[in-house]
Amino acid sequence: MLDAKTVDIVKQSAPILEEHSREIGTRFYEKLFSTAPELYNIFNQTNQRLGIQQSALAYSVYKAGENIDQLENIEEMIERVTEKHRALGVKPEQYPLVGETLLEAVKDILGDSIDKQTMSAWEEAYQAIANAFIDIESGLYKKVEEQPGGWNGVRSFYVDKKVKESDVITSFYLKPEDGKEIMVYKPGQYLTFQVEIEGDNYTHMRHYSLSDSPGKDYYRISVKREDGHEEVPPGVVSNYLHREINEGDLLNIAAPAGDFTIVTEEMPIVLISGGVGLTPMISMLNTLVKDEPGREITFIHAAEKGKVHAMSAHVKELAATYENVHSYVCYSNPSDEDLLEDDYDKKGFIDLEWLQTILGDNKKDFYFCGPIPFMKTINEALKQWEVPEEHRHYEVFSPVSKIENA
């Protein structure tokens, strides 16, 4: 329990850390990997190169300091981080090194502008935050291991089927090598893959959303091949999966994790996806039509054009089969073939006016997932439509927890 003086010092100095957050985050990871290069096996190296991880760390530290006496205010962030830590296999003994390195980075960047008393207060605060995370993660490890078919660490799965869904998205159906039961998950959760690529010095850890309803004897993920462009390098793991992994090959996987799951409500639900963001949405859709047959479901998908639109036939079939399912498609750049077939509902981008036209009112529960700019647009449109925050749910495919900080 932190005393009142320590809490006051931390809360007052938190904005200073926010102001220099990017520099502190960058310096922290430089020192951490220099001291413990084996931690490259945990962190996404592409996110490191793009500076995403550094920003996420700094944001988390600032928010924790700002709410040091009321961590329940950042419960959503804590839940998301601890779920990822469990999936990545973060251990209690790693926290002291992280804390020591983080405080050194703060001192390196802020220098004489931060005094010993403030550093001491942050040291105490970090320990309190670390203890809270360790306790939560310990409970998560225990809960997962005790579930039927659950496991800790990684488990070997083989690719039972590899199915091309579009020009850029391929599904992998995964079954356990040991033939034993697999853990049931919640729609919207993800699997974490530990991938060893020949010639690379370190393991690659990646999260991929499950793209089917739970309760089957397999897991399915649907992966977009990230080809990269001038500012972003090609996806190391996505390209490896597409090009090198075939039926019968083995992959090491951590048990399902994630906090982006359906909140049971009586109100209608709207699932909005952009690009490969449709993977958790398909999992939710497949589950809802089975488990909540009376609930109104609207599925809206945005893609560049038909050739990169995955699982369109499946969604069409569900909409034709179930009266409570309504499907809409938006193409930003339809091909000549798309224009000829006219098999979409809107050309361009999803906007508020169109959402209001097809949905009628905002008394609905909204779930959305896709690229960061896409989700920012959807979130702003829903805010403008006065959809309450508790009815706006989203998944960010990056270390940050809030769209506004991405």
Side-chain angles (χ1 to χ4, degrees):
M1 187 74 174
L2 300 175
D3 60 49
K5 184 176 181 180
T6 298
V7 169
D8 188 53
I9 292 172
V10 169
K11 289 171 73 75
Q12 286 190 25
S13 58
I16 301 173
L17 270 67
E18 181 190 26
E19 183 182 350
H20 299 277
S21 58
R22 183 62 181 269
E23 303 99 302
I24 292 170
T26 300
R27 183 62 178 143
F28 163 76
Y29 282 110
E30 288 173 355
K31 295 175 75 73
L32 183 68
F33 294 137
S34 175
T35 304
E38 68 275 8
L39 292 179
Y40 272 121
N41 292 313
I42 293 179
F43 291 97
N44 185 319
Q45 293 158 45
T46 299
N47 285 342
Q48 284 289 320
R49 289 195 296 272
L50 296 176
I52 297 172
Q53 196 86 49
Q54 293 87 329
S55 297
L57 169 83
Y59 170 75
S60 300
V61 171
Y62 159 67
K63 293 302 291 184
E66 185 183 48
N67 295 276
I68 190 62
D69 55 341
Q70 292 179 303
L71 290 178
E72 62 272 15
N73 291 344
I74 54 171
E75 184 178 356
E76 181 183 344
M77 184 189 83
I78 290 174
E79 183 177 2
R80 185 156 295 179
V81 171
T82 52
E83 281 280 334
K84 288 192 175 182
H85 282 183
R86 196 277 296 163
L88 293 168
V90 171
K91 301 177 176 63
E93 56 266 29
Q94 292 170 327
Y95 276 91
L97 173 62
V98 169
E100 180 182 337
T101 308
L102 179 59
L103 292 170
E104 288 176 0
V106 169
K107 188 63 178 173
D108 285 353
I109 298 302
L110 299 183
D112 294 336
S113 66
I114 187 165
D115 58 36
K116 289 183 179 180
Q117 187 180 41
T118 303
M119 289 298 297
S120 179
W122 272 97
E123 186 175 356
E124 288 185 52
Y126 173 82
Q127 191 58 57
I129 296 165
N131 288 340
F133 275 52
I134 290 169
D135 287 345
I136 294 170
E137 288 159 19
S138 175
L140 290 174
Y141 282 117
K142 183 178 180 181
K143 181 180 178 181
V144 167
E145 191 167 30
E146 290 177 350
Q147 284 195 41
W151 72 97
N152 277 325
V154 294
R155 185 174 172 187
S156 183
F157 282 70
Y158 68 91
V159 178
D160 182 52
K161 285 194 299 182
K162 181 178 179 181
V163 178
K164 185 176 180 180
E165 305 284 5
S166 76
D167 281 5
V168 293
I169 295 175
T170 293
S171 287
F172 298 82
Y173 291 72
L174 308 160
K175 291 186 175 182
E177 186 184 18
D178 59 20
K180 296 180 181 178
E181 184 180 8
I182 57 174
M183 176 179 144
V184 174
Y185 57 91
K186 295 178 181 179
Q189 291 191 307
Y190 54 80
L191 295 176
T192 301
F193 289 72
Q194 185 185 82
V195 179
E196 307 281 349
I197 298 178
E198 187 176 353
D200 287 2
N201 294 327
Y202 300 103
T203 298
H204 297 271
M205 303 288 281
R206 291 293 187 278
H207 307 301
Y208 290 110
S209 294
L210 288 143
S211 62
D212 205 349
S213 55
K216 298 178 170 63
D217 66 346
Y218 62 83
Y219 291 140
R220 184 180 76 177
I221 60 167
S222 302
V223 180
K224 179 188 175 186
R225 186 188 69 246
E226 299 290 352
D227 294 325
H229 50 77
E230 288 183 5
E231 297 179 1
V232 179
V236 175
V237 176
S238 68
N239 277 277
Y240 175 77
L241 292 175
H242 272 252
R243 296 169 183 168
E244 304 296 332
I245 296 298
N246 296 298
E247 292 177 0
D249 289 340
L250 298 176
L251 291 165
N252 289 325
I253 303 172
D259 64 330
F260 179 58
T261 57
I262 300 172
V263 178
T264 301
E265 298 270 3
E266 292 185 358
M267 63 188 349
I269 187 169
V270 181
L271 307 175
I272 307 176
S273 56
V276 75
L278 79 111
T279 53
M281 300 291 101
I282 290 288
S283 179
M284 291 180 180
L285 176 64
N286 289 354
T287 304
L288 286 165
V289 296
K290 181 180 63 171
D291 295 348
E292 299 188 46
R295 191 172 183 182
E296 285 293 312
I297 306 165
T298 303
F299 191 94
I300 304 170
H301 183 65
E304 181 190 358
K305 54 189 174 183
K307 286 192 174 183
V308 297
H309 181 181
M311 302 179 187
S312 58
H314 172 71
V315 176
K316 279 184 193 175
E317 183 180 354
L318 291 180
T321 303
Y322 298 94
E323 292 184 357
N324 60 313
V325 178
H326 314 282
S327 170
Y328 297 90
V329 174
C330 181
Y331 288 159
S332 61
N333 186 28
S335 66
D336 291 340
E337 183 179 350
D338 295 326
L339 293 170
L340 183 64
E341 294 181 355
D342 194 26
D343 198 19
Y344 57 95
D345 300 282
K346 185 181 190 301
K347 180 181 178 180
F349 300 97
I350 297 174
D351 54 42
L352 177 56
E353 183 179 358
W354 184 62
L355 287 176
Q356 291 172 327
T357 299
I358 63 175
L359 297 175
D361 63 67
N362 67 351
K363 303 298 188 291
K364 296 169 175 62
D365 211 21
F366 291 85
Y367 292 75
F368 49 102
C369 186
I372 296 291
F374 169 84
M375 289 197 295
K376 284 186 173 183
T377 298
I378 299 299
N379 193 48
E380 285 303 315
L382 296 180
K383 283 200 289 187
Q384 188 178 337
W385 202 9
E386 299 182 349
V387 176
E389 185 176 3
E390 62 267 26
H391 293 304
R392 289 182 275 120
H393 316 271
Y394 53 83
E395 173 76 299
V396 181
F397 288 148
S398 85
V400 301
S401 350
K402 286 284 186 182
I403 295 176
E404 291 83 358
N405 304 101

